[in-house]
Amino acid sequence: MASVMAAMLDELMGKDRDLLPDEKPKELGWDHDRICKSFLCGFCPNELFTNTKSDLGMCHKVHDEKLREKYRNSNRYGHVNYEREFLLHLEGLVEEMERKIRRGHHRLALSVSYREKVAVQEKTDPANDEHVAQLDEQIHKLLGEVEELGEEGKVDEAQALMKKIDKLKNEKEERQFSNRRHDIDDFEKRMEVCDICGAFLVINDSQVRVDAHLSGKQHIGFAKVRAKIDELKTFRPPRDKERDRDRDRDRDRDRDRDRDRDRDRDRDRDRDRDRRDRHRDRDYDRDRDRNRDRDRYRDRDRNRDRDRDRDRDRDRDRDRNDRKGRDRDRSRDRDRNRDRDRDRRRRSRSRSRDRRRSRSRDRRYRSRSRERQRSRSQDRHQSHRSESQDRHQSHRSESQDRHQSHRSESQDRHQSHRSESQDRHQSHRSESRDREPESSRTPTEEKARDVDTQPKSEESEQDAQGEESS
């Protein structure tokens, strides 16, 4: 409370109200700690939202218009980071408001979804819909009865039924209105969130309340804060602006100088091009005269060459005719010599034909004798081959017989060896049993002995039969 009263006294009587008349007031610079830096940059946010939901409290620092003018006219304006700190402070306020706006949108979304669920449940009430359908059926039935009574002339009864029909229609309309009432209430009470200050507004509200909201302190304050943020983002100090202006002026001067240099270069290039064109025209005329002289000399040389070629062709035709005459005489002599040679070859051909006939006759005789010799040699080779095959076959059969006999002998030897070993074993067993006393033998042992001796005799008989058969 004391700070509020002090602020009111400072506003009414000034900051130096407690000084004596002979004391001089202490002047503060714009860079003093007691000076509000936000006020120097534009405005103090604490003064925008007094007595609102977004009240930031009272600012205890000095707000002086003269100090703000001094700061803006000083050379350090924009270079002490006051604007940077002011921008960060305003962005913090706007971020807090944006969070509030997002929460408001979330609340509206939840409430809208709840109202939609309730409306759907009430719209789809089966009892109410069934009752409305029954009322429709009754109304249609009564209308049919009214038509019948009207045709029969029963006017009073028809009027009574019409009153009943009116009652049913009123009841039907009430039922249908109860279904639509929730939709109407939702439409009338639908809300939205202000994107500037985060306040809840009613859609389709009266213009007076909308204007009152737009002229409210909170809405105007946050609109001013958002506008100041956009301004500070593009802020540049006056010295930087002057420096940029000088830089732009120098750039324009350099651009004009470059343009003049380019224009002079283009003019020199055009002058050089004209000079080259004149030289080219002069060279063209010189080349044309030279070509004309060359064509004249070429035509004269061509006529001279044509006359020389004509004389040469005439001499060549004369030589050709002489050569043809000599060639004709030479060909005539050659034909005569060719006919003589042809006759000589014909006579030699007839002699050679006779010689070939005699030679072919001798050749046929020799070929017949050769064929007879070949047939004899083939017969001898065939006989020799058959004899060799017979010998090979006989040798093979003998070898097979020898192998078979050797195999049978080996089997016999093995069998005899086996029988001898069995006999020795059996004799050994019988001798061992004979050494034992007869009194110690049991009936079972006697029986086994008889069984052992019996196979031995049978095996000896079989061996004897095998030897006889072999």
Side-chain angles (χ1 to χ4, degrees):
M1 188 68 182
S3 62
V4 175
M5 295 300 295
M8 292 176 64
L9 291 174
D10 290 341
E11 186 177 359
L12 292 173
M13 302 176 64
K15 296 286 184 181
D16 301 328
R17 66 182 185 278
D18 296 332
L19 296 177
L20 297 175
D22 56 350
E23 292 180 355
K24 292 184 178 180
K26 188 183 296 183
E27 294 183 359
L28 299 177
W30 54 265
D31 56 348
H32 198 272
D33 295 336
R34 292 180 57 190
I35 305 301
C36 181
K37 305 303 186 293
S38 299
F39 184 80
L40 295 179
C41 295
F43 56 87
C44 182
N46 299 65
E47 296 178 350
L48 295 178
F49 308 109
T50 55
N51 299 326
T52 63
K53 293 181 179 181
S54 302
D55 192 357
L56 301 176
M58 183 176 292
C59 181
H60 301 287
K61 294 186 178 183
V62 177
H63 297 168
D64 194 349
E65 293 287 344
K66 295 181 180 180
L67 294 177
R68 181 163 61 184
E69 292 296 330
K70 289 181 179 179
Y71 170 67
R72 290 184 177 179
N73 295 327
S74 66
N75 295 329
R76 299 173 60 189
Y77 175 57
H79 296 280
V80 290
N81 289 330
Y82 291 166
E83 287 77 9
R84 176 67 177 172
E85 295 175 357
F86 186 45
L87 176 62
L88 294 176
H89 182 54
L90 295 181
E91 286 179 348
L93 295 176
V94 172
E95 287 178 1
E96 183 66 27
M97 180 52 62
E98 291 294 335
R99 285 195 291 271
K100 181 179 178 182
I101 291 171
R102 285 195 294 272
R103 289 196 298 270
H105 283 296
H106 185 63
R107 286 177 57 191
L108 286 179
L110 292 176
S111 62
V112 168
S113 63
Y114 176 74
R115 285 198 300 270
E116 288 178 354
K117 290 181 181 179
V118 172
V120 168
Q121 292 176 359
E122 292 179 352
K123 285 179 183 178
T124 58
D125 189 3
N128 196 7
D129 294 338
E130 289 178 0
H131 190 71
V132 172
Q134 291 176 2
L135 291 176
D136 285 334
E137 292 179 358
Q138 292 178 7
I139 290 170
H140 287 299
K141 189 183 293 184
L142 292 176
L143 287 174
E145 293 178 0
V146 167
E147 290 179 358
E148 292 177 356
L149 293 173
E151 291 177 355
E152 293 176 357
K154 299 178 181 180
V155 180
D156 296 334
E157 296 178 356
Q159 289 179 354
L161 289 177
M162 287 298 297
K163 291 180 181 179
K164 189 175 180 180
I165 289 170
D166 293 336
K167 291 180 180 180
L168 293 175
K169 286 183 178 180
N170 292 330
E171 186 178 358
K172 178 183 175 182
E173 289 178 356
E174 289 177 359
R175 293 282 183 179
Q176 292 178 350
F177 179 74
S178 66
N179 289 336
R180 293 193 302 268
R181 183 174 57 197
H182 298 285
D183 297 338
I184 294 171
D185 293 341
D186 289 341
F187 179 75
E188 290 178 352
K189 295 179 181 179
R190 196 168 296 156
M191 305 289 288
E192 65 178 356
V193 180
C194 179
D195 295 332
I196 302 298
C197 61
F200 286 96
L201 302 175
V202 178
I203 298 176
N204 298 325
D205 201 358
S206 63
Q207 188 63 34
V208 176
R209 298 184 65 180
V210 173
D211 294 339
H213 168 72
L214 296 177
S215 60
K217 188 180 292 185
Q218 185 170 343
H219 185 86
I220 292 174
F222 276 104
K224 188 175 182 180
V225 167
R226 292 175 186 273
K228 190 64 177 179
I229 287 174
D230 296 335
E231 180 183 351
L232 291 175
K233 285 182 178 180
T234 59
F235 171 74
R236 289 184 64 82
R239 290 179 59 188
D240 294 344
K241 290 182 180 179
E242 292 178 359
R243 192 182 299 110
D244 294 339
R245 194 179 301 111
D246 295 338
R247 190 182 298 112
D248 294 337
R249 191 181 304 110
D250 295 337
R251 190 182 299 111
D252 293 337
R253 189 182 303 109
D254 294 337
R255 190 181 299 110
D256 294 336
R257 190 182 302 109
D258 294 336
R259 190 182 301 110
D260 295 336
R261 190 183 301 110
D262 294 336
R263 189 182 299 110
D264 296 337
R265 190 184 301 110
D266 294 335
R267 189 181 301 110
D268 295 337
R269 190 182 298 111
D270 293 336
R271 190 181 301 109
D272 294 336
R273 188 182 299 109
D274 295 336
R275 189 182 301 109
R276 284 196 302 274
D277 292 337
R278 287 196 298 273
H279 287 297
R280 190 182 300 108
D281 294 337
R282 190 180 304 112
D283 293 337
Y284 177 73
D285 295 336
R286 189 183 304 109
D287 293 337
R288 187 178 54 190
D289 295 336
R290 190 181 296 111
N291 291 330
R292 190 181 298 113
D293 296 336
R294 189 184 300 111
D295 293 336
R296 189 182 305 112
Y297 292 139
R298 189 181 294 112
D299 292 337
R300 188 174 56 195
D301 294 338
R302 192 181 295 113
N303 293 329
R304 188 182 300 112
D305 293 336
R306 191 183 299 113
D307 295 337
R308 190 182 301 110
D309 292 336
R310 191 182 301 112
D311 295 337
R312 190 182 298 111
D313 292 337
R314 190 181 301 111
D315 295 337
R316 191 182 298 112
D317 292 337
R318 188 183 303 111
D319 294 338
R320 189 183 299 112
N321 292 328
D322 296 338
R323 197 179 300 109
K324 282 181 180 180
R326 289 193 299 272
D327 291 339
R328 194 180 299 111
D329 296 337
R330 194 179 297 111
S331 63
R332 192 181 299 109
D333 295 338
R334 192 182 300 112
D335 292 338
R336 192 180 300 111
N337 293 329
R338 190 182 298 114
D339 293 337
R340 191 182 301 112
D341 294 336
R342 191 181 298 114
D343 294 337
R344 191 182 300 112
R345 282 197 302 275
R346 191 181 295 112
R347 287 193 298 272
S348 65
R349 195 179 297 116
S350 62
R351 286 194 297 271
S352 62
R353 191 183 299 113
D354 295 338
R355 196 179 301 112
R356 280 198 302 274
R357 284 174 184 172
S358 62
R359 194 180 296 116
S360 63
R361 196 180 300 113
D362 296 338
R363 194 181 295 112
R364 281 197 299 273
Y365 178 76
R366 283 195 300 273
S367 65
R368 287 195 197 97
S369 63
R370 196 179 297 110
E371 288 176 359
R372 282 194 298 272
Q373 291 176 1
R374 192 181 295 112
S375 62
R376 290 194 195 97
S377 64
Q378 288 178 358
D379 293 338
R380 285 195 301 273
H381 179 69
Q382 188 70 25
S383 63
H384 180 70
R385 185 177 180 184
S386 61
E387 290 175 358
S388 64
Q389 288 179 355
D390 294 337
R391 284 196 301 273
H392 179 69
Q393 188 70 25
S394 63
H395 180 70
R396 185 177 179 185
S397 61
E398 290 175 359
S399 64
Q400 289 179 355
D401 293 339
R402 283 196 302 273
H403 180 68
Q404 188 69 25
S405 63
H406 180 69
R407 185 177 181 185
S408 62
E409 289 175 359
S410 64
Q411 289 179 356
D412 293 338
R413 283 196 300 273
H414 180 69
Q415 187 69 24
S416 63
H417 181 69
R418 183 179 181 188
S419 62
E420 289 175 359
S421 64
Q422 289 179 358
D423 291 340
R424 284 196 300 272
H425 181 66
Q426 190 68 27
S427 64
H428 181 68
R429 285 184 64 185
S430 63
E431 288 175 0
S432 64
R433 287 177 184 174
D434 292 338
R435 291 192 193 97
E436 293 178 358
E438 293 181 0
S439 61
S440 64
R441 295 176 186 169
T442 60
T444 54
E445 290 178 353
E446 290 291 339
K447 190 175 180 180
R449 180 182 179 188
D450 296 337
V451 171
D452 291 337
T453 56
Q454 186 176 358
K456 180 179 179 182
S457 62
E458 291 178 358
E459 288 178 358
S460 62
E461 290 177 0
Q462 289 179 0
D463 293 336
Q465 289 177 3
E467 289 175 359
E468 289 175 1
S469 63
S470 62

